[in-house]
Amino acid sequence: MQNDQALAHALLLRRRAMAMTGRYLEDFAVAQTFGSGRLRVDKERIKTFAAEFDPQPFHLDEAAARDSIFGGLAASGWHTAALTMRLLVESELKPAGGIVGAGFDEFRWPRPVRPGDELRVESEVLEVRPSKSRPDQGLIKVRTTTLNQNGEPVQVSVGNLVVLRRPAHQTASEI
Amino acid sequence: MQNDQALAHALLLRRRAMAMTGRYLEDFAVAQTFGSGRLRVDKERIKTFAAEFDPQPFHLDEAAARDSIFGGLAASGWHTAALTMRLLVESELKPAGGIVGAGFDEFRWPRPVRPGDELRVESEVLEVRPSKSRPDQGLIKVRTTTLNQNGEPVQVSVGNLVVLRRPAHQTASEI
């Protein structure tokens, strides 16, 4: 019983430390999944984002969007990508050193994001490997799926993140 | 001489029409390249973009960024991607129906974007193919390289764009 309490306490301390320092390469494993909070996509923000970064009629104006390939106002894919990043940063993924993308093996938008959609993110670790050239770093391959309120994917990416290795003097029990 | 003038006039009319309607699938060919204007990356906009979409210390705060993997303030990759889209929309690429991405075969950020960097885009058509399922559409594969003021690539992508085919009743000489 005392052991259980000690273990629970240690896990609590570790969770707190993890929230501050993040996960090292050694803390990631294939098949881990991480959820996220939710973000609602605002119609006016769709238009102002597009006016700054993707000024095309189907992202700016309802009437023009109806006659376009999207059949109605749709968020810029880059707006969806940026919102996905926000959800990912605030998710439980939390690599030590931050979320630093080295590039993507796959990246697509299977369906449009509409005003009022509520997005969330699911990420899954596909691969964990130490760097050959940088002994203090490694890479994890992560599939990130952005889903709308109907559970339909609106963005799917498979990306490689740079993750720090745990410093040699520090063991899991110390953090 | 009169033929030359007529040809010049026809080319001028075509260029004007192209600017309004854009290029159909039939107007694209492998190895075509398109340049862009330039956009300067503002330090304050790096921080406000990050605050909304990518709130990590190395995009928000100079001091924190010095101790990070970037060694100094760097734009969010999604900010770079969004600025690239702006440059692309305003470039001479101009597909009829707009720039609509179906997904990427490759996407990476080879080096960070710094405050004050001046970005431009070069795009090259790698492949042109009609759609098997949609007779009114096709796909072009385009490599888009975003370069800083030193000519160094900061983003490289290979993406597939949905492009409308020229309507059957319309020939090139009519536009």
Side-chain angles (χ1 to χ4, degrees):
Chain A
M1 185 61 159
Q2 208 174 348
N3 272 353
D4 282 2
Q5 281 182 355
L7 181 63
H9 185 64
L11 284 173
L12 178 69
L13 287 182
R14 174 153 186 188
R15 257 202 305 276
R16 278 191 193 151
M18 195 76 88
M20 289 178 62
T21 64
R23 294 172 211 274
Y24 290 101
L25 188 72
E26 291 76 5
D27 299 313
F28 286 103
V30 171
Q32 280 173 338
T33 59
F34 303 95
S36 80
R38 286 164 186 264
L39 273 176
R40 197 162 180 281
V41 184
D42 178 72
K43 179 155 76 175
E44 289 313 306
R45 191 68 186 106
I46 286 180
K47 296 180 185 180
T48 56
F49 185 99
E52 184 175 0
F53 295 118
D54 193 350
Q56 302 196 87
F58 36 71
H59 302 317
L60 291 166
D61 178 79
E62 280 95 337
R66 272 195 294 277
D67 296 329
S68 77
I69 194 169
F70 293 109
L73 196 71
S76 166
W78 304 110
H79 192 182
T80 303
L83 289 167
T84 296
M85 188 64 189
R86 173 65 184 252
L87 288 165
L88 207 59
V89 168
E90 291 176 350
S91 80
E92 289 303 306
L93 183 70
K94 295 205 187 307
I99 301 182
V100 178
F104 292 88
D105 297 346
E106 184 183 334
F107 193 101
R108 56 195 169 86
W109 296 291
R111 58 176 60 67
V113 169
R114 303 296 187 178
D117 276 1
E118 207 177 67
L119 305 184
R120 65 185 174 88
V121 157
E122 286 177 2
S123 50
E124 180 184 355
V125 178
L126 303 181
E127 209 177 295
V128 179
R129 60 182 196 276
S131 165
K132 279 165 195 155
S133 55
R134 299 284 307 261
D136 59 334
Q137 294 182 11
L139 286 170
I140 60 172
K141 191 188 291 292
V142 180
R143 181 192 294 117
T144 301
T145 308
T146 313
L147 301 149
N148 65 20
Q149 66 282 3
N150 303 319
E152 299 164 325
V154 295
Q155 183 180 296
V156 179
S157 69
V158 175
N160 298 290
L161 302 179
V162 178
V163 181
L164 298 177
R165 302 193 68 169
R166 186 183 309 285
H169 63 276
Q170 200 183 18
T171 62
S173 60
E174 283 180 84
I175 65 165
Chain B
M1 186 61 162
Q2 207 174 349
N3 272 351
D4 282 3
Q5 281 183 356
L7 181 63
H9 186 64
L11 284 172
L12 178 70
L13 288 182
R14 173 148 188 190
R15 256 202 306 276
R16 278 192 194 150
M18 195 75 89
M20 289 179 61
T21 64
R23 294 172 211 276
Y24 291 100
L25 187 72
E26 290 77 4
D27 300 312
F28 286 105
V30 171
Q32 279 175 338
T33 59
F34 303 95
S36 81
R38 287 164 186 265
L39 273 176
R40 197 163 180 280
V41 184
D42 179 71
K43 179 155 76 173
E44 289 314 305
R45 191 69 188 102
I46 286 180
K47 296 180 186 180
T48 56
F49 186 98
E52 184 175 0
F53 295 119
D54 192 350
Q56 303 196 85
F58 37 71
H59 302 317
L60 291 166
D61 178 79
E62 281 94 338
R66 273 195 293 276
D67 297 329
S68 78
I69 192 169
F70 292 108
L73 196 71
S76 166
W78 303 110
H79 192 181
T80 303
L83 288 168
T84 296
M85 188 63 188
R86 173 65 184 254
L87 287 165
L88 207 60
V89 167
E90 292 176 350
S91 80
E92 289 303 307
L93 184 70
K94 295 206 185 308
I99 300 182
V100 178
F104 293 89
D105 296 346
E106 184 185 334
F107 194 102
R108 56 196 169 84
W109 296 291
R111 56 176 61 68
V113 169
R114 304 296 187 177
D117 276 2
E118 207 177 69
L119 305 183
R120 65 186 173 88
V121 158
E122 285 177 3
S123 51
E124 181 183 355
V125 178
L126 303 180
E127 209 178 295
V128 178
R129 60 182 196 275
S131 164
K132 280 166 194 152
S133 55
R134 299 284 307 264
D136 59 334
Q137 293 182 11
L139 286 169
I140 60 172
K141 190 186 293 292
V142 179
R143 180 191 296 117
T144 302
T145 308
T146 314
L147 301 149
N148 65 19
Q149 66 281 2
N150 304 319
E152 299 163 327
V154 296
Q155 182 179 298
V156 179
S157 69
V158 176
N160 298 291
L161 302 179
V162 179
V163 180
L164 298 177
R165 302 193 68 170
R166 187 185 309 285
H169 61 278
Q170 201 184 18
T171 63
S173 61
E174 281 181 85
I175 65 165

